[in-house]
Each structure stands twice: as structure tokens, then as C-alpha cells.
């Protein structure tokens, strides 16, 4: 903080970090949540319009030791921002004006070697061994395993000699699960898979966003995480089958397949009408009103009128009995046909009171309604805290970290967070010792950079 990298085009990020005396392990290796601010050298009337443009550089894009990739990514980000600002200037002045950019480090949330909040969140139940290029160690792990899960591009495990066909004879009871972007069969099997691509190819982005806006991705990596959830379900199903029959099996999970399975009623709409559904923002294609409305204080309230009885209570709760008796809005089918009339009418009415008022009056008459919270609201919500969905746990290098809690509440076997997200290779000794490796053997693996 307080240090700038003004010559990004002349000095590499790595060189600049060295000049500033910032340790590579602290600054560049895994600096997460790196936020940049772009200052614009523009006339005051234009600057007042733009003021500050914030650019989030997600450090998962920055690869340790890959200065060429890192510099190229930052350069693309700069060019994109410069182009956007120049277009704004051109629209305001009638001609483009060069924009000087200065990137300043304004926040480094956790500048600690080998740590990213993204990794910490996703790895909170895992143990970590950094084993690579040593099939013997992997096979010893498989000797003790019920299931093997791999997320490589199709063909990688075969090259390593660890594919299902190779292991099946030796481990006939093994549950072998592969997760990839497009699956292990079909014309696209060899393509790389990322969440954004899966959201687009699956059609999810075509139905996400405002009606008059561009396609949008969901705010979390829903295709990526969803594939993992399908995999967990599939492994449990295969384990149940093995308990009955004694046989293992191969499970092929595709991010694309997983997301298409979640299209549910949107796919049903297409099958019934042979017409691709349109984007509706926060609205519902077949229920009205079933969406968010802005309130007087600028906050949004979600309203879910899912039946005619709820519609009656809704009209009573907002003190608009006239809507209930209006023949254009009597039944849900009427309201869907007259969406363009009803929704603007309700939006104008909701602007007369703050969000808390609408939530209170609607919940008082048993209408499903609630505010649209930001994450600060979420993790201070009494219900969230009561359900233990915010937990804090000790960490060997960060002292303590916060984690989301477990959404599954078992009466007999309640879960818990008993391990911190592991450091890379933190459990090498523990795991390899359990596999029968001596201290000397572990040392040899480390010398060969296998771990």
C-alpha cells in the first residue's frame, strides 16, 4: 500500500516488486485480491463524470514465475480500460484524447506466500500433498481409497498411466470419477473447460441478465461448482451400488452436462414452444409479480407471488386492493399477459417507501419477500449467524480465517471444520508416512521435486 507501479510497459511486475523491496513470496507469488485504481488526466468536467474507475485484477490470472503471461494480462487490462475511457472522452468532446493511466496498489488483503482466499475456500476439507510425476505414490494412495477423483483434461491421466482402464483390473472396486469441461466422449471432449465457457455453451448466459442488456454470467462459478456437486452425488450413488454388488465403476462428469441439467423449467419452456427463452433480469417467465423492485432508499426487494392466494395477500399487504379487482390482473395468466403494464406500476409504487417497510408489510401477511443483501448484510444477518454459516478457525500462518459454514445439518452425525485449508504440501510427511515411505524416501522425493 502506498507504492505504485507507474511504468508497467517498461518495467515488469517482478522487477518493480524487487525495486520496492517487497518479497516475491509476499507480493507476486500469490497476491490475492489485488485492486488497482486508474487515475485519469482529463479536464475537470470529464473527470467529474468518470472520477475514479476501478479495475479489479484477479490474481488467479497471475501465474508464479510466468512474467510473460502476467505482463500480457496487465497490458490487456490497461488497453481495455484506456479504450473505454477514450470512448467516453470522444463522446463528450467530439474527439479522442489520450488517457494517462497510473496503476496504484490500493489493497492487498492477504499478502502471504502460497495463499489465496479462493483456494482457502475451496480446499477447506482437504489434506494436501504436492506429489507429482510419481505414479507409485498415487497407486499407494489408491490402495487405501474408495474413490479417485480427477479433473484433468481428457487424455492426461492416460498419459500418466493412471486412467480408469489401466487401474480397473488392479482395483475392481474403485470408484473412478473424472470431471472435465465437455466430458470424455464426443467431438468436444478434448477442449479445455472453464466455468465461463460452460455457462455460455450451456445457454445459461442467454437467459441471464436484463431483457434489454447483454448476456451475463452468474456471480459465482456455478458450472464449475455444480459439476463438483454432481460428482459428489454420483460417487455416493456408486458407493451405494458397490455395497450391494461389490463392483466399482467409472463416472464421467461434464461441466456442460451438469449445467444443462440445471436448465430445468427454462429447457421445458423451449421444448414446449420451440422458442428460446428470453432474458428477464430478476423476473420469472411464467409468474408475475415474481422479481425485484427498487425501493425509496435505493435498495431492492424480492417479491415472489407464486399463487392467486399470495396475490390476494400481496395486494392487501401493500394496500392496493384496486389491483386485486382489476380484471387485467385477476389471474396469473392475466398478469403475465399484462406484465408491461403491471410491473412499471408496481415499480413506481415501491419507490414511495424504503425497502424495510415493504419487507415488513409483505412478510406480515405471509407473502414471500426479502431484501437483496450484499455480503456484508449476509454475514451479519441474525438467521445466518444462528445457522452457523459464518465460522472462524485458527490457521498456522494467518492466525485465523473466516469460512462459510456447512449447509447440511445432520441430527446424528453433524459435520464440522476440523482442518484449516492446507498449505501446499503441508501433509506430505503425514500422508507419505502412512503409505509406508521412510523419512529418507520422502527426502529423496523432495530432492527430485516430486513433492
Amino acid at each position: 500500500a502506498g507504492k505504485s507501479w507507474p511504468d508497467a510497459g517498461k518495467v515488469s511486475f517482478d522487477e518493480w516488486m524487487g525495486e520496492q523491496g517487497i518479497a516475491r513470496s509476499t507480493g507476486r507469488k500469490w497476491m490475492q485480491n489485488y485492486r488497482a485504481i486508474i487515475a485519469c488526466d482529463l479536464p475537470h468536467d470529464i473527470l467529474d463524470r468518470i472520477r475514479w474507475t476501478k479495475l479489479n485484477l484477479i490474481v488467479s490470472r497471475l501465474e508464479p514465475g510466468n512474467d510473460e503471461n502476467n505482463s500480457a494480462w496487465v497490458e490487456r487490462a490497461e488497453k481495455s480500460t484506456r479504450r473505454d475511457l477514450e470512448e467516453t472522452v470522444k463522446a463528450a468532446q467530439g474527439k479522442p484524447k489520450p488517457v494517462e493511466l497510473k496503476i496504484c496498489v490500493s489493497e492487498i488483503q492477504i499478502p502471504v506466500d502460497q495463499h489465496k482466499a479462493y483456494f482457502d475456500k475451496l480446499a477447506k476439507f482437504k489434506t494436501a500433498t504436492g506429489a507429482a510425476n510419481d505414479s507409485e505414490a498415487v497407486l499407494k494412495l489408491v490402495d487405501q481409497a474408495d474413490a479417485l477423483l480427477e479433473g484433468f483434461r481428457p487424455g492426461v491421466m492416460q498419459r500418466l498411466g493412471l486412467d480408469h482402464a489401466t487401474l480397473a483390473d488392479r482395483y475392481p472396486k474403485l470408484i473412478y470419477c473424472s470431471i472435465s469441461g465437455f466430458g470424455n466422449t464426443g467431438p468436444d471432449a478434448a477442449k479445455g473447460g472453464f466455468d465461463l465457457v460452460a455457462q455460455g455453451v450451456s445457454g445459461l448466459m442467454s437467459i441471464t441478465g436484463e431483457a434489454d442488456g447483454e448476456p451475463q454470467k452468474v456471480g459465482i462459478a456455478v458450472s464449475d461448482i455444480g459439476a463438483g456437486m454432481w460428482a459428489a452425488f454420483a460417487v455416493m450413488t456408486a458407493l451405494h451400488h458397490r455395497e450391494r454388488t461389490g463392483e466399482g465403476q467409472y463416472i464421467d462428469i461434464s461441466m456442460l452436462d451438469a449445467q444443462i441439467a440445471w436448465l430445468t423449467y427454462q429447457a421445458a419452456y423451449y421444448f414446449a414452444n420451440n422458442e428460446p427463452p428470453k432474458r428477464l433480469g430478476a423476473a420469472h417467465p411464467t409468474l408475475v409479480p415474481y422479481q425485484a423492485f427498487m425501493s425509496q432508499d435505493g435498495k431492492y426487494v424480492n417479491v415472489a407471488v407464486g399463487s392467486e392466494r399470495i396475490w390476494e395477500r400481496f395486494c392487501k399487504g401493500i394496500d392496493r386492493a384496486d389491483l386485486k379487482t382489476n380484471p387485467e390482473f385477476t389471474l396469473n395468466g392475466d398478469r403475465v399477459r399484462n406484465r408491461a403494464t403491471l410491473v412499471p406500476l408496481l415499480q413506481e409504487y415501491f419507490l414511495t417507501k424504503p425497502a424495510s417497510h415493504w419487507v415488513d408489510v409483505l412478510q406480515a401477511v405471509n407473502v414471500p419477500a426479502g431484501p437483496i443483501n450484499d455480503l456484508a448484510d449476509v454475514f451479519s444477518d441474525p438467521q445466518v449467524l444462528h445457522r452457523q454459516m459464518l465460522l472462524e478457525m485458527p490457521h498456522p500462518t494467518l492466525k485465523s480465517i473466516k469460512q462459510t459454514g456447512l449447509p447440511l445439518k445432520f441430527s446424528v452425525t453433524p459435520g464440522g471444520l476440523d482442518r484449516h485449508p492446507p498449505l501446499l504440501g503441508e501433509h506430505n510427511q503425514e500422508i507419505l508416512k502412512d503409505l509406508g515411505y521412510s523419512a529418507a524416501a520422502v527426502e529423496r522425493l523432495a530432492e527430485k521435486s516430486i513433492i
Side-chain angles (χ1 to χ4, degrees):
K3 298 181 183 294
S4 64
W5 180 28
D7 300 315
K10 301 176 182 178
V11 180
S12 74
F13 187 65
D14 191 50
E15 292 172 339
W16 174 75
M17 294 295 290
E19 291 174 0
Q20 301 300 320
I22 302 175
R24 288 166 57 135
S25 62
T26 298
R28 185 178 65 80
K29 193 172 184 181
W30 288 123
M31 185 172 65
Q32 61 98 24
N33 202 24
Y34 171 62
R35 181 172 297 167
I37 297 177
I38 295 84
C40 313
D41 180 17
L42 299 172
H44 287 294
D45 60 328
I46 306 300
L47 186 59
D48 286 341
R49 294 189 184 190
I50 303 174
R51 206 56 191 167
W52 295 101
T53 301
K54 291 185 177 179
L55 174 67
N56 289 322
L57 300 181
I58 306 303
V59 178
S60 60
R61 304 281 186 97
L62 302 180
E63 300 177 4
N66 192 345
D67 288 338
E68 182 178 354
N69 170 80
N70 298 343
S71 297
W73 191 85
V74 173
E75 183 178 353
R76 288 198 300 273
E78 287 186 348
K79 286 181 178 178
S80 175
T81 305
R82 181 181 291 108
R83 183 177 63 252
D84 292 344
L85 294 178
E86 287 181 350
E87 288 176 356
T88 302
V89 174
K90 183 177 181 180
Q93 293 186 329
K95 58 181 180 179
K97 175 181 173 61
V99 177
E100 297 297 326
L101 300 181
K102 182 180 181 182
I103 298 184
C104 305
V105 178
S106 64
E107 177 180 309
I108 303 175
Q109 186 179 15
I110 307 178
V112 177
D113 185 20
Q114 298 183 348
H115 272 273
K116 305 187 303 298
Y118 192 78
F119 172 81
D120 280 354
K121 168 60 184 165
L122 299 184
K124 62 184 178 182
F125 299 111
K126 301 176 181 178
T127 56
T129 176
N133 303 317
D134 184 20
S135 59
E136 179 189 355
V138 175
L139 292 175
K140 286 188 175 182
L141 283 170
V142 177
D143 282 336
Q144 303 178 8
D146 289 301
L148 184 153
L149 177 69
E150 61 92 5
F152 291 106
R153 189 179 296 204
V156 172
M157 291 295 276
Q158 185 175 13
R159 290 197 300 273
L160 295 173
L162 296 170
D163 56 298
H164 176 255
T166 301
L167 298 183
D169 289 340
R170 179 172 174 175
Y171 305 103
K173 293 186 176 183
L174 179 67
I175 309 301
Y176 191 118
C177 182
S178 298
I179 304 177
S180 60
F182 297 91
N184 275 269
T185 61
D188 293 337
K191 293 182 178 179
F194 287 85
D195 174 80
L196 178 66
V197 176
Q199 288 198 35
V201 177
S202 69
L204 177 62
M205 291 177 64
S206 75
I207 54 175
T208 305
E210 294 300 324
D212 57 352
E214 298 178 349
Q216 299 289 330
K217 73 178 185 68
V218 178
I220 62 168
V222 63
S223 297
D224 199 350
I225 298 170
M229 295 185 71
W230 281 114
F233 176 76
V235 168
M236 288 187 290
T237 303
L239 286 170
H240 181 66
H241 173 78
R242 192 182 71 180
E243 284 292 314
R244 297 167 57 190
T245 67
E247 62 181 356
Q249 60 183 302
Y250 178 68
I251 303 169
D252 182 4
I253 302 288
S254 155
M255 290 170 60
L256 175 61
D257 298 349
Q259 189 53 64
I260 290 175
W262 277 358
L263 291 177
T264 58
Y265 60 83
Q266 292 284 27
Y269 175 90
Y270 171 70
F271 297 151
N273 299 282
N274 202 33
E275 180 181 339
K278 302 291 191 266
R279 291 185 294 281
L280 292 172
H284 194 284
T286 59
L287 294 172
V288 175
Y290 196 103
Q291 64 184 81
F293 293 98
M294 180 186 284
S295 303
Q296 186 183 60
D297 52 4
K299 296 182 179 180
Y300 287 84
V301 175
N302 273 324
V303 175
V305 177
S307 69
E308 304 308 338
R309 288 187 176 183
I310 297 177
W311 170 245
E312 294 178 6
R313 298 198 297 269
F314 173 80
C315 295
K316 178 181 178 181
I318 66 172
D319 195 23
R320 289 297 301 266
D322 59 303
L323 297 178
K324 178 176 175 295
T325 58
N326 189 322
E328 293 185 336
F329 311 138
T330 302
L331 299 175
N332 181 64
D334 302 320
R335 297 192 293 276
V336 171
R337 285 189 294 272
N338 295 294
R339 183 195 301 266
T341 301
L342 178 59
V343 170
L345 185 156
L346 289 174
Q347 177 57 86
E348 183 178 359
Y349 189 61
F350 268 73
L351 288 172
T352 62
K353 301 286 185 181
S356 58
H357 168 82
W358 297 119
V359 172
D360 289 344
V361 298
L362 289 171
Q363 290 183 349
V365 293
N366 200 24
V367 171
I372 294 183
N373 290 331
D374 62 25
L375 295 196
D377 297 323
V378 171
F379 291 112
S380 60
D381 187 297
Q383 178 68 15
V384 173
L385 298 178
H386 175 80
R387 297 285 293 176
Q388 295 184 313
M389 288 307 297
L390 173 61
L391 301 176
E392 192 163 354
M393 62 189 307
H395 193 277
T397 60
L398 303 178
K399 295 185 178 179
S400 67
I401 55 174
K402 292 180 179 179
Q403 298 274 277
T404 54
L406 298 175
L408 308 175
K409 315 297 186 184
F410 291 96
S411 63
V412 179
T413 57
L417 299 182
D418 56 358
R419 283 183 180 265
H420 60 267
L423 304 174
L424 179 61
E426 177 182 353
H427 302 99
N428 282 348
Q429 295 284 345
E430 175 186 335
I431 293 173
L432 293 174
K433 182 179 178 180
D434 287 345
L435 295 178
Y437 282 78
S438 66
V442 173
E443 184 64 27
R444 285 194 296 272
L445 292 176
E447 291 172 355
K448 294 178 182 180
S449 296
I450 291 175
I451 60 174

